[in-house]
Amino acid sequence: MTRTVHIIGAGMAGLACAVRLARRGVPTVVHEATDQAGGRCRSYHDAVTGMRIDNGTHILLSGNTAALGFLADIGASDLVTGAPAPRYPFVDLATGERWTLDLGSGRLSPWMFDPRRRALGTRAVDYLPLIRMLWPSPGRTLGEIMSCSGPAYERVVRPFLLAALNIDPKEGSSDLARAVVVETIAAGGQACRPYLAPEGLSAAFVEPALAVLRGQGAAVMFSHQLRKLVLGDGRVRGLDFGDSIVALGPDDAVVVAVSAHAAGAIVPGLQVPGEYRAIINAHFRLSPEGIAPMIGVVNGVAEWVFSFGDRISVTISDAGRLLELSRDQIAQMIWQDVQRVTGISAALPAWQLVRERRATFAATPAQNARRPGAATEWTNLVLAGDFTATGLPATIEGAVRSGYRAADLVLQGLSRH
Ligand SMILES: Cc1cc2nc3c(=O)[nH]c(=O)nc-3n(C[C@H](O)[C@H](O)[C@H](O)COP(=O)(O)OP(=O)(O)OC[C@H]3O[C@@H](n4cnc5c(N)ncnc54)[C@H](O)[C@@H]3O)c2cc1C
């Protein structure tokens, strides 16, 4: 008997799940609401700048083993570029000071004790409170367990955790901060080399995954939005796509791998995080020369400035405060920061701004507590997605792990039949 697994959503979680199942020979069908796979991790052609751009520059760190493993599995390792060393150039726009944080190689690297490698204006003793972050403090904010001020916080902890959690770290979950720190900074410089996708997110993360799925005979149906689960007798009996209903056989399974918001609408009674944080990305068309691939910015509107072959891209996390402003105002403000960071004096070039209002769930203790597990009360329904209880903030790493976990649950279920 054919046991088909239907995966709802072709974001990172759905694709990771589908690839794992298809590779095991399980008949797999992916249903994606939009006309494109990738979800919040995608590229598109932008008519204004004439460039193919990403909805937002995504960074992986070398400690993101599931995400890098996924890229290896789909044959896309060459489509991300890892920095040879965990060296992060920074500039403080309030003071004009510049430094390079050099986390070195190997485990337990002593960068904090070396003034040439730690953040300018910090002392080794300033980093001691970071150790506090490594003790579990369930359900607390970072601000409740450690001092969130001082140069080491402002120049090291805040920039990294703001990017990883997409929330002002003070109000962020100390559990999620700890998970990130344990898997990266506390694991040593070898886990902290940044990876970027210079050819774009879709080229690296999405198109190779779709090629694997095609090669394995899996189907991917675009513009195929699930409207409703048809439930009965403790299981999913059908999938209602509005214009058609797919009836499920007794051994078929469903993985709902959509965003928190969409999952809450599809799965009856499901508790999901209901607060979100925005991310703004700006892309400026020009050919930067001699500019580091990635520069951290302190005391600016811009937070990270990325230099690609045909553009400069800028990321701003937890960007809700800017959403009231006009697109032109935001672009001007960011471009002024770019000029100061890079020394480029040119007038504002062709630009595009991508405002993702629901970029991630709000990584507070309260929202973190609302994340559901993968298993559900319906025997053949499993959840995946960055909002599920992965123990990590909403990241590609969390999404891929959730997809793999969902696939493993489905495989266990199939092996019991
Ligand atoms: C601007 C931005 C920058 C980011 N930067 C980073 C970064 O630097 N590093 C990092 O690791 N992470 C980053 N993230 C987070 C990362 O993109 C997400 O955690 C990850 O992509 C989530 O994947 P997902 O599969 O869980 O969800 P999604 O990407 O939301 O995928 C869900 C999919 O389901 C589809 N769908 C929804 N409803 C239905 C339905 N009813 N029927 C069928 N399909 C449906 C959607 O269209 C979508 O394709 C960033 C996110 C954003 C927005």
Side-chain angles (χ1 to χ4, degrees):
M1 187 194 315
T2 306
R3 295 155 177 173
T4 302
V5 180
H6 295 269
I7 296 169
I8 313 301
M12 283 303 105
L15 290 175
C17 181
V19 166
R20 176 161 287 190
L21 289 173
R23 285 229 190 268
R24 304 282 164 92
V26 177
T28 303
V29 184
V30 183
H31 307 269
E32 166 55 44
T34 68
D35 60 3
Q36 178 180 4
R40 279 168 281 155
C41 177
R42 66 185 186 284
S43 316
Y44 69 99
H45 178 77
D46 173 51
V48 176
T49 55
M51 296 188 296
R52 188 165 165 79
I53 56 178
D54 293 335
N55 67 316
T57 305
H58 280 53
I59 312 159
L60 293 182
L61 294 182
S62 39
N64 294 158
T65 49
L68 291 170
F70 172 66
L71 290 172
D73 184 30
I74 60 175
S77 298
D78 291 348
L79 292 161
V80 289
T81 309
R87 288 166 56 84
Y88 291 86
F90 270 92
V91 54
D92 184 336
L93 289 184
T95 63
E97 290 171 307
R98 289 174 189 265
W99 66 93
T100 297
L101 183 69
D102 180 356
L103 301 175
S105 59
R107 291 183 75 85
L108 300 176
S109 155
W111 57 271
M112 292 175 196
F113 299 101
D114 185 340
R116 288 162 307 178
R117 291 172 54 193
R118 64 188 181 226
L120 192 67
T122 63
R123 301 164 304 165
V125 68
D126 296 335
Y127 293 90
L128 279 178
L130 298 191
I131 296 168
R132 178 68 189 88
M133 216 192 293
L134 297 177
W135 302 336
S137 320
R140 316 271 298 276
T141 62
L142 203 61
E144 284 170 339
I145 68 153
M146 62 174 260
S147 154
C148 292
S149 62
Y153 175 78
E154 295 297 340
R155 293 189 162 185
V156 179
V157 179
R158 188 173 189 280
F160 282 101
L161 288 184
L162 176 60
L165 269 59
N166 191 29
I167 194 168
D168 183 352
K170 270 201 289 291
E171 48 164 329
S173 151
S174 63
D175 298 314
L176 295 176
R178 179 172 173 273
V180 170
V181 168
V182 164
E183 294 194 14
T184 56
I185 292 185
Q190 66 197 10
C192 300
R193 284 187 302 110
Y195 279 78
L196 292 167
E199 309 294 321
L201 295 173
S202 291
F205 290 89
V206 181
E207 282 145 21
L210 293 176
V212 168
L213 292 177
R214 271 194 301 274
Q216 298 290 330
V220 183
M221 302 178 73
F222 292 103
S223 305
H224 210 224
Q225 180 177 2
L226 181 73
R227 306 284 168 179
K228 212 165 159 268
L229 295 168
V230 182
L231 300 163
D233 301 332
R235 52 184 287 272
V236 184
R237 303 177 65 87
L239 300 173
D240 183 347
F241 291 98
D243 52 1
S244 64
I245 292 185
V246 174
L248 300 191
D251 296 324
D252 292 344
V254 180
V255 177
V256 167
V258 301
S259 62
H261 182 70
I266 290 172
V267 182
L270 184 70
Q271 174 174 274
V272 291
E275 277 180 34
Y276 303 89
R277 290 292 186 272
I279 299 180
I280 292 182
N281 269 260
H283 304 277
F284 301 99
R285 183 180 182 130
L286 76 166
S287 301
E289 275 173 25
I291 295 167
M294 177 175 172
I295 304 175
V297 185
V298 175
N299 288 318
V301 175
E303 288 164 1
W304 294 95
V305 173
F306 300 94
S307 164
F308 295 106
D310 60 351
R311 69 184 187 283
I312 283 188
S313 298
V314 173
T315 298
I316 302 167
S317 296
D318 194 6
R321 67 193 180 282
L322 298 176
L323 294 176
E324 308 275 286
L325 303 177
S326 73
R327 291 166 48 80
D328 288 276
Q329 281 174 309
I330 301 171
Q332 286 286 358
M333 286 165 66
I334 299 176
W335 181 245
Q336 280 170 19
D337 278 4
V338 170
Q339 288 180 315
R340 295 176 62 202
V341 169
T342 63
I344 293 172
S345 55
L348 180 65
W351 56 272
Q352 185 53 276
L353 209 62
V354 186
R355 296 180 290 188
E356 291 268 15
R357 288 169 192 272
R358 286 192 188 137
T360 66
F361 71 84
T364 61
Q367 296 301 308
N368 190 36
R370 293 177 62 86
R371 298 168 79 182
T376 69
E377 64 188 270
W378 292 279
T379 51
N380 62 344
L381 175 63
V382 179
L383 302 177
D386 64 356
F387 71 95
T388 57
T390 63
L392 293 175
T395 50
I396 297 177
E397 179 71 9
V400 168
R401 284 192 203 176
S402 78
Y404 284 162
R405 183 182 54 184
D408 291 342
L409 280 176
V410 167
L411 289 166
Q412 281 166 23
L414 291 181
S415 68
R416 278 201 293 271
H417 285 76

mmCIF file with all atom_site columns, all heavy atoms in Angstrom, residues 236-260:
data_model
loop_
_atom_site.group_PDB
_atom_site.id
_atom_site.type_symbol
_atom_site.label_atom_id
_atom_site.label_alt_id
_atom_site.label_comp_id
_atom_site.label_asym_id
_atom_site.label_entity_id
_atom_site.label_seq_id
_atom_site.pdbx_PDB_ins_code
_atom_site.Cartn_x
_atom_site.Cartn_y
_atom_site.Cartn_z
_atom_site.occupancy
_atom_site.B_iso_or_equiv
_atom_site.pdbx_formal_charge
_atom_site.auth_seq_id
_atom_site.auth_comp_id
_atom_site.auth_asym_id
_atom_site.auth_atom_id
_atom_site.pdbx_PDB_model_num
ATOM 1   N N   . VAL A 1 236 ? -6.357  13.007 10.752 1.00 0.00 ? 236 VAL A N   1
ATOM 2   C CA  . VAL A 1 236 ? -6.690  13.832 9.589  1.00 0.00 ? 236 VAL A CA  1
ATOM 3   C C   . VAL A 1 236 ? -7.215  12.901 8.507  1.00 0.00 ? 236 VAL A C   1
ATOM 4   O O   . VAL A 1 236 ? -6.549  11.948 8.121  1.00 0.00 ? 236 VAL A O   1
ATOM 5   C CB  . VAL A 1 236 ? -5.448  14.602 9.056  1.00 0.00 ? 236 VAL A CB  1
ATOM 6   C CG1 . VAL A 1 236 ? -5.851  15.523 7.920  1.00 0.00 ? 236 VAL A CG1 1
ATOM 7   C CG2 . VAL A 1 236 ? -4.766  15.388 10.157 1.00 0.00 ? 236 VAL A CG2 1
ATOM 8   N N   . ARG A 1 237 ? -8.424  13.200 8.045  1.00 0.00 ? 237 ARG A N   1
ATOM 9   C CA  . ARG A 1 237 ? -9.043  12.320 7.036  1.00 0.00 ? 237 ARG A CA  1
ATOM 10  C C   . ARG A 1 237 ? -8.971  12.931 5.646  1.00 0.00 ? 237 ARG A C   1
ATOM 11  O O   . ARG A 1 237 ? -9.171  12.237 4.644  1.00 0.00 ? 237 ARG A O   1
ATOM 12  C CB  . ARG A 1 237 ? -10.498 12.057 7.412  1.00 0.00 ? 237 ARG A CB  1
ATOM 13  C CG  . ARG A 1 237 ? -10.629 11.446 8.797  1.00 0.00 ? 237 ARG A CG  1
ATOM 14  C CD  . ARG A 1 237 ? -12.082 11.251 9.173  1.00 0.00 ? 237 ARG A CD  1
ATOM 15  N NE  . ARG A 1 237 ? -12.717 10.279 8.291  1.00 0.00 ? 237 ARG A NE  1
ATOM 16  C CZ  . ARG A 1 237 ? -12.711 8.965  8.506  1.00 0.00 ? 237 ARG A CZ  1
ATOM 17  N NH1 . ARG A 1 237 ? -12.107 8.472  9.566  1.00 0.00 ? 237 ARG A NH1 1
ATOM 18  N NH2 . ARG A 1 237 ? -13.309 8.148  7.676  1.00 0.00 ? 237 ARG A NH2 1
ATOM 19  N N   . GLY A 1 238 ? -8.718  14.246 5.587  1.00 0.00 ? 238 GLY A N   1
ATOM 20  C CA  . GLY A 1 238 ? -8.656  14.869 4.269  1.00 0.00 ? 238 GLY A CA  1
ATOM 21  C C   . GLY A 1 238 ? -8.050  16.258 4.352  1.00 0.00 ? 238 GLY A C   1
ATOM 22  O O   . GLY A 1 238 ? -7.906  16.844 5.430  1.00 0.00 ? 238 GLY A O   1
ATOM 23  N N   . LEU A 1 239 ? -7.667  16.761 3.195  1.00 0.00 ? 239 LEU A N   1
ATOM 24  C CA  . LEU A 1 239 ? -7.087  18.096 3.098  1.00 0.00 ? 239 LEU A CA  1
ATOM 25  C C   . LEU A 1 239 ? -7.974  18.923 2.180  1.00 0.00 ? 239 LEU A C   1
ATOM 26  O O   . LEU A 1 239 ? -8.171  18.561 1.014  1.00 0.00 ? 239 LEU A O   1
ATOM 27  C CB  . LEU A 1 239 ? -5.662  18.009 2.514  1.00 0.00 ? 239 LEU A CB  1
ATOM 28  C CG  . LEU A 1 239 ? -4.663  17.175 3.331  1.00 0.00 ? 239 LEU A CG  1
ATOM 29  C CD1 . LEU A 1 239 ? -3.356  17.021 2.552  1.00 0.00 ? 239 LEU A CD1 1
ATOM 30  C CD2 . LEU A 1 239 ? -4.407  17.823 4.683  1.00 0.00 ? 239 LEU A CD2 1
ATOM 31  N N   . ASP A 1 240 ? -8.483  20.023 2.718  1.00 0.00 ? 240 ASP A N   1
ATOM 32  C CA  . ASP A 1 240 ? -9.426  20.852 1.957  1.00 0.00 ? 240 ASP A CA  1
ATOM 33  C C   . ASP A 1 240 ? -8.666  22.045 1.364  1.00 0.00 ? 240 ASP A C   1
ATOM 34  O O   . ASP A 1 240 ? -8.196  22.919 2.113  1.00 0.00 ? 240 ASP A O   1
ATOM 35  C CB  . ASP A 1 240 ? -10.535 21.313 2.915  1.00 0.00 ? 240 ASP A CB  1
ATOM 36  C CG  . ASP A 1 240 ? -11.602 22.130 2.203  1.00 0.00 ? 240 ASP A CG  1
ATOM 37  O OD1 . ASP A 1 240 ? -11.362 22.540 1.045  1.00 0.00 ? 240 ASP A OD1 1
ATOM 38  O OD2 . ASP A 1 240 ? -12.665 22.364 2.814  1.00 0.00 ? 240 ASP A OD2 1
ATOM 39  N N   . PHE A 1 241 ? -8.532  22.054 0.047  1.00 0.00 ? 241 PHE A N   1
ATOM 40  C CA  . PHE A 1 241 ? -7.829  23.145 -0.632 1.00 0.00 ? 241 PHE A CA  1
ATOM 41  C C   . PHE A 1 241 ? -8.803  24.153 -1.241 1.00 0.00 ? 241 PHE A C   1
ATOM 42  O O   . PHE A 1 241 ? -8.443  24.923 -2.117 1.00 0.00 ? 241 PHE A O   1
ATOM 43  C CB  . PHE A 1 241 ? -6.894  22.574 -1.713 1.00 0.00 ? 241 PHE A CB  1
ATOM 44  C CG  . PHE A 1 241 ? -5.733  21.813 -1.124 1.00 0.00 ? 241 PHE A CG  1
ATOM 45  C CD1 . PHE A 1 241 ? -5.787  20.426 -1.030 1.00 0.00 ? 241 PHE A CD1 1
ATOM 46  C CD2 . PHE A 1 241 ? -4.632  22.472 -0.623 1.00 0.00 ? 241 PHE A CD2 1
ATOM 47  C CE1 . PHE A 1 241 ? -4.733  19.715 -0.463 1.00 0.00 ? 241 PHE A CE1 1
ATOM 48  C CE2 . PHE A 1 241 ? -3.572  21.770 -0.051 1.00 0.00 ? 241 PHE A CE2 1
ATOM 49  C CZ  . PHE A 1 241 ? -3.625  20.384 0.033  1.00 0.00 ? 241 PHE A CZ  1
ATOM 50  N N   . GLY A 1 242 ? -10.028 24.137 -0.797 1.00 0.00 ? 242 GLY A N   1
ATOM 51  C CA  . GLY A 1 242 ? -11.023 25.085 -1.306 1.00 0.00 ? 242 GLY A CA  1
ATOM 52  C C   . GLY A 1 242 ? -11.698 24.546 -2.541 1.00 0.00 ? 242 GLY A C   1
ATOM 53  O O   . GLY A 1 242 ? -12.861 24.166 -2.502 1.00 0.00 ? 242 GLY A O   1
ATOM 54  N N   . ASP A 1 243 ? -10.948 24.446 -3.653 1.00 0.00 ? 243 ASP A N   1
ATOM 55  C CA  . ASP A 1 243 ? -11.554 23.955 -4.892 1.00 0.00 ? 243 ASP A CA  1
ATOM 56  C C   . ASP A 1 243 ? -11.465 22.436 -5.016 1.00 0.00 ? 243 ASP A C   1
ATOM 57  O O   . ASP A 1 243 ? -11.982 21.843 -5.950 1.00 0.00 ? 243 ASP A O   1
ATOM 58  C CB  . ASP A 1 243 ? -10.919 24.635 -6.114 1.00 0.00 ? 243 ASP A CB  1
ATOM 59  C CG  . ASP A 1 243 ? -9.413  24.530 -6.101 1.00 0.00 ? 243 ASP A CG  1
ATOM 60  O OD1 . ASP A 1 243 ? -8.875  23.904 -5.152 1.00 0.00 ? 243 ASP A OD1 1
ATOM 61  O OD2 . ASP A 1 243 ? -8.773  25.052 -7.031 1.00 0.00 ? 243 ASP A OD2 1
ATOM 62  N N   . SER A 1 244 ? -10.758 21.803 -4.075 1.00 0.00 ? 244 SER A N   1
ATOM 63  C CA  . SER A 1 244 ? -10.665 20.337 -4.127 1.00 0.00 ? 244 SER A CA  1
ATOM 64  C C   . SER A 1 244 ? -10.373 19.811 -2.727 1.00 0.00 ? 244 SER A C   1
ATOM 65  O O   . SER A 1 244 ? -9.815  20.523 -1.890 1.00 0.00 ? 244 SER A O   1
ATOM 66  C CB  . SER A 1 244 ? -9.525  19.908 -5.067 1.00 0.00 ? 244 SER A CB  1
ATOM 67  O OG  . SER A 1 244 ? -8.294  20.351 -4.536 1.00 0.00 ? 244 SER A OG  1
ATOM 68  N N   . ILE A 1 245 ? -10.774 18.564 -2.508 1.00 0.00 ? 245 ILE A N   1
ATOM 69  C CA  . ILE A 1 245 ? -10.456 17.914 -1.232 1.00 0.00 ? 245 ILE A CA  1
ATOM 70  C C   . ILE A 1 245 ? -9.665  16.653 -1.535 1.00 0.00 ? 245 ILE A C   1
ATOM 71  O O   . ILE A 1 245 ? -10.061 15.839 -2.385 1.00 0.00 ? 245 ILE A O   1
ATOM 72  C CB  . ILE A 1 245 ? -11.740 17.569 -0.447 1.00 0.00 ? 245 ILE A CB  1
ATOM 73  C CG1 . ILE A 1 245 ? -12.418 18.860 0.016  1.00 0.00 ? 245 ILE A CG1 1
ATOM 74  C CG2 . ILE A 1 245 ? -11.407 16.678 0.755  1.00 0.00 ? 245 ILE A CG2 1
ATOM 75  C CD1 . ILE A 1 245 ? -13.619 18.665 0.905  1.00 0.00 ? 245 ILE A CD1 1
ATOM 76  N N   . VAL A 1 246 ? -8.529  16.521 -0.862 1.00 0.00 ? 246 VAL A N   1
ATOM 77  C CA  . VAL A 1 246 ? -7.724  15.309 -1.028 1.00 0.00 ? 246 VAL A CA  1
ATOM 78  C C   . VAL A 1 246 ? -8.079  14.386 0.138  1.00 0.00 ? 246 VAL A C   1
ATOM 79  O O   . VAL A 1 246 ? -7.867  14.738 1.302  1.00 0.00 ? 246 VAL A O   1
ATOM 80  C CB  . VAL A 1 246 ? -6.211  15.641 -1.001 1.00 0.00 ? 246 VAL A CB  1
ATOM 81  C CG1 . VAL A 1 246 ? -5.373  14.369 -1.037 1.00 0.00 ? 246 VAL A CG1 1
ATOM 82  C CG2 . VAL A 1 246 ? -5.840  16.571 -2.163 1.00 0.00 ? 246 VAL A CG2 1
ATOM 83  N N   . ALA A 1 247 ? -8.649  13.234 -0.176 1.00 0.00 ? 247 ALA A N   1
ATOM 84  C CA  . ALA A 1 247 ? -8.986  12.272 0.884  1.00 0.00 ? 247 ALA A CA  1
ATOM 85  C C   . ALA A 1 247 ? -7.719  11.500 1.251  1.00 0.00 ? 247 ALA A C   1
ATOM 86  O O   . ALA A 1 247 ? -6.929  11.133 0.372  1.00 0.00 ? 247 ALA A O   1
ATOM 87  C CB  . ALA A 1 247 ? -10.068 11.318 0.386  1.00 0.00 ? 247 ALA A CB  1
ATOM 88  N N   . LEU A 1 248 ? -7.513  11.289 2.550  1.00 0.00 ? 248 LEU A N   1
ATOM 89  C CA  . LEU A 1 248 ? -6.310  10.584 2.986  1.00 0.00 ? 248 LEU A CA  1
ATOM 90  C C   . LEU A 1 248 ? -6.624  9.126  3.279  1.00 0.00 ? 248 LEU A C   1
ATOM 91  O O   . LEU A 1 248 ? -7.663  8.820  3.875  1.00 0.00 ? 248 LEU A O   1
ATOM 92  C CB  . LEU A 1 248 ? -5.726  11.225 4.237  1.00 0.00 ? 248 LEU A CB  1
ATOM 93  C CG  . LEU A 1 248 ? -5.300  12.688 4.143  1.00 0.00 ? 248 LEU A CG  1
ATOM 94  C CD1 . LEU A 1 248 ? -4.496  13.070 5.385  1.00 0.00 ? 248 LEU A CD1 1
ATOM 95  C CD2 . LEU A 1 248 ? -4.461  12.953 2.899  1.00 0.00 ? 248 LEU A CD2 1
ATOM 96  N N   . GLY A 1 249 ? -5.720  8.246  2.893  1.00 0.00 ? 249 GLY A N   1
ATOM 97  C CA  . GLY A 1 249 ? -5.845  6.831  3.227  1.00 0.00 ? 249 GLY A CA  1
ATOM 98  C C   . GLY A 1 249 ? -5.483  6.623  4.691  1.00 0.00 ? 249 GLY A C   1
ATOM 99  O O   . GLY A 1 249 ? -4.913  7.519  5.333  1.00 0.00 ? 249 GLY A O   1
ATOM 100 N N   . PRO A 1 250 ? -5.783  5.431  5.218  1.00 0.00 ? 250 PRO A N   1
ATOM 101 C CA  . PRO A 1 250 ? -5.557  5.183  6.655  1.00 0.00 ? 250 PRO A CA  1
ATOM 102 C C   . PRO A 1 250 ? -4.093  5.310  7.068  1.00 0.00 ? 250 PRO A C   1
ATOM 103 O O   . PRO A 1 250 ? -3.795  5.586  8.227  1.00 0.00 ? 250 PRO A O   1
ATOM 104 C CB  . PRO A 1 250 ? -6.073  3.749  6.861  1.00 0.00 ? 250 PRO A CB  1
ATOM 105 C CG  . PRO A 1 250 ? -6.281  3.175  5.505  1.00 0.00 ? 250 PRO A CG  1
ATOM 106 C CD  . PRO A 1 250 ? -6.399  4.297  4.530  1.00 0.00 ? 250 PRO A CD  1
ATOM 107 N N   . ASP A 1 251 ? -3.158  5.134  6.141  1.00 0.00 ? 251 ASP A N   1
ATOM 108 C CA  . ASP A 1 251 ? -1.743  5.191  6.513  1.00 0.00 ? 251 ASP A CA  1
ATOM 109 C C   . ASP A 1 251 ? -1.062  6.489  6.081  1.00 0.00 ? 251 ASP A C   1
ATOM 110 O O   . ASP A 1 251 ? 0.138   6.655  6.268  1.00 0.00 ? 251 ASP A O   1
ATOM 111 C CB  . ASP A 1 251 ? -0.987  4.011  5.890  1.00 0.00 ? 251 ASP A CB  1
ATOM 112 C CG  . ASP A 1 251 ? -1.492  2.692  6.444  1.00 0.00 ? 251 ASP A CG  1
ATOM 113 O OD1 . ASP A 1 251 ? -1.826  2.660  7.648  1.00 0.00 ? 251 ASP A OD1 1
ATOM 114 O OD2 . ASP A 1 251 ? -1.575  1.720  5.673  1.00 0.00 ? 251 ASP A OD2 1
ATOM 115 N N   . ASP A 1 252 ? -1.826  7.384  5.481  1.00 0.00 ? 252 ASP A N   1
ATOM 116 C CA  . ASP A 1 252 ? -1.231  8.651  5.046  1.00 0.00 ? 252 ASP A CA  1
ATOM 117 C C   . ASP A 1 252 ? -0.988  9.559  6.249  1.00 0.00 ? 252 ASP A C   1
ATOM 118 O O   . ASP A 1 252 ? -1.694  9.461  7.252  1.00 0.00 ? 252 ASP A O   1
ATOM 119 C CB  . ASP A 1 252 ? -2.151  9.367  4.053  1.00 0.00 ? 252 ASP A CB  1
ATOM 120 C CG  . ASP A 1 252 ? -2.258  8.613  2.732  1.00 0.00 ? 252 ASP A CG  1
ATOM 121 O OD1 . ASP A 1 252 ? -1.408  7.734  2.486  1.00 0.00 ? 252 ASP A OD1 1
ATOM 122 O OD2 . ASP A 1 252 ? -3.194  8.905  1.959  1.00 0.00 ? 252 ASP A OD2 1
ATOM 123 N N   . ALA A 1 253 ? -0.035  10.436 6.106  1.00 0.00 ? 253 ALA A N   1
ATOM 124 C CA  . ALA A 1 253 ? 0.287   11.355 7.205  1.00 0.00 ? 253 ALA A CA  1
ATOM 125 C C   . ALA A 1 253 ? 0.411   12.775 6.674  1.00 0.00 ? 253 ALA A C   1
ATOM 126 O O   . ALA A 1 253 ? 0.600   12.995 5.462  1.00 0.00 ? 253 ALA A O   1
ATOM 127 C CB  . ALA A 1 253 ? 1.599   10.932 7.876  1.00 0.00 ? 253 ALA A CB  1
ATOM 128 N N   . VAL A 1 254 ? 0.287   13.742 7.591  1.00 0.00 ? 254 VAL A N   1
ATOM 129 C CA  . VAL A 1 254 ? 0.349   15.156 7.221  1.00 0.00 ? 254 VAL A CA  1
ATOM 130 C C   . VAL A 1 254 ? 1.354   15.857 8.128  1.00 0.00 ? 254 VAL A C   1
ATOM 131 O O   . VAL A 1 254 ? 1.340   15.661 9.348  1.00 0.00 ? 254 VAL A O   1
ATOM 132 C CB  . VAL A 1 254 ? -1.036  15.835 7.391  1.00 0.00 ? 254 VAL A CB  1
ATOM 133 C CG1 . VAL A 1 254 ? -0.958  17.313 7.012  1.00 0.00 ? 254 VAL A CG1 1
ATOM 134 C CG2 . VAL A 1 254 ? -2.091  15.116 6.561  1.00 0.00 ? 254 VAL A CG2 1
ATOM 135 N N   . VAL A 1 255 ? 2.213   16.655 7.519  1.00 0.00 ? 255 VAL A N   1
ATOM 136 C CA  . VAL A 1 255 ? 3.107   17.523 8.291  1.00 0.00 ? 255 VAL A CA  1
ATOM 137 C C   . VAL A 1 255 ? 2.712   18.958 7.978  1.00 0.00 ? 255 VAL A C   1
ATOM 138 O O   . VAL A 1 255 ? 2.787   19.383 6.826  1.00 0.00 ? 255 VAL A O   1
ATOM 139 C CB  . VAL A 1 255 ? 4.586   17.288 7.926  1.00 0.00 ? 255 VAL A CB  1
ATOM 140 C CG1 . VAL A 1 255 ? 5.482   18.263 8.701  1.00 0.00 ? 255 VAL A CG1 1
ATOM 141 C CG2 . VAL A 1 255 ? 4.994   15.843 8.202  1.00 0.00 ? 255 VAL A CG2 1
ATOM 142 N N   . VAL A 1 256 ? 2.257   19.678 8.982  1.00 0.00 ? 256 VAL A N   1
ATOM 143 C CA  . VAL A 1 256 ? 1.939   21.095 8.789  1.00 0.00 ? 256 VAL A CA  1
ATOM 144 C C   . VAL A 1 256 ? 3.196   21.886 9.127  1.00 0.00 ? 256 VAL A C   1
ATOM 145 O O   . VAL A 1 256 ? 3.639   21.916 10.277 1.00 0.00 ? 256 VAL A O   1
ATOM 146 C CB  . VAL A 1 256 ? 0.744   21.523 9.666  1.00 0.00 ? 256 VAL A CB  1
ATOM 147 C CG1 . VAL A 1 256 ? 0.618   23.042 9.706  1.00 0.00 ? 256 VAL A CG1 1
ATOM 148 C CG2 . VAL A 1 256 ? -0.548  20.916 9.102  1.00 0.00 ? 256 VAL A CG2 1
ATOM 149 N N   . ALA A 1 257 ? 3.807   22.470 8.102  1.00 0.00 ? 257 ALA A N   1
ATOM 150 C CA  . ALA A 1 257 ? 5.096   23.166 8.257  1.00 0.00 ? 257 ALA A CA  1
ATOM 151 C C   . ALA A 1 257 ? 4.933   24.609 7.781  1.00 0.00 ? 257 ALA A C   1
ATOM 152 O O   . ALA A 1 257 ? 5.629   25.056 6.871  1.00 0.00 ? 257 ALA A O   1
ATOM 153 C CB  . ALA A 1 257 ? 6.180   22.432 7.460  1.00 0.00 ? 257 ALA A CB  1
ATOM 154 N N   . VAL A 1 258 ? 3.997   25.310 8.390  1.00 0.00 ? 258 VAL A N   1
ATOM 155 C CA  . VAL A 1 258 ? 3.709   26.693 7.999  1.00 0.00 ? 258 VAL A CA  1
ATOM 156 C C   . VAL A 1 258 ? 4.169   27.620 9.128  1.00 0.00 ? 258 VAL A C   1
ATOM 157 O O   . VAL A 1 258 ? 4.728   27.177 10.115 1.00 0.00 ? 258 VAL A O   1
ATOM 158 C CB  . VAL A 1 258 ? 2.211   26.863 7.684  1.00 0.00 ? 258 VAL A CB  1
ATOM 159 C CG1 . VAL A 1 258 ? 1.784   25.927 6.557  1.00 0.00 ? 258 VAL A CG1 1
ATOM 160 C CG2 . VAL A 1 258 ? 1.360   26.591 8.927  1.00 0.00 ? 258 VAL A CG2 1
ATOM 161 N N   . SER A 1 259 ? 3.929   28.915 8.994  1.00 0.00 ? 259 SER A N   1
ATOM 162 C CA  . SER A 1 259 ? 4.316   29.857 10.042 1.00 0.00 ? 259 SER A CA  1
ATOM 163 C C   . SER A 1 259 ? 3.397   29.687 11.258 1.00 0.00 ? 259 SER A C   1
ATOM 164 O O   . SER A 1 259 ? 2.336   29.043 11.169 1.00 0.00 ? 259 SER A O   1
ATOM 165 C CB  . SER A 1 259 ? 4.193   31.277 9.511  1.00 0.00 ? 259 SER A CB  1
ATOM 166 O OG  . SER A 1 259 ? 2.832   31.506 9.179  1.00 0.00 ? 259 SER A OG  1
ATOM 167 N N   . ALA A 1 260 ? 3.767   30.300 12.374 1.00 0.00 ? 260 ALA A N   1
ATOM 168 C CA  . ALA A 1 260 ? 2.958   30.201 13.591 1.00 0.00 ? 260 ALA A CA  1
ATOM 169 C C   . ALA A 1 260 ? 1.535   30.688 13.324 1.00 0.00 ? 260 ALA A C   1
ATOM 170 O O   . ALA A 1 260 ? 0.555   30.042 13.703 1.00 0.00 ? 260 ALA A O   1
ATOM 171 C CB  . ALA A 1 260 ? 3.598   31.039 14.698 1.00 0.00 ? 260 ALA A CB  1
#
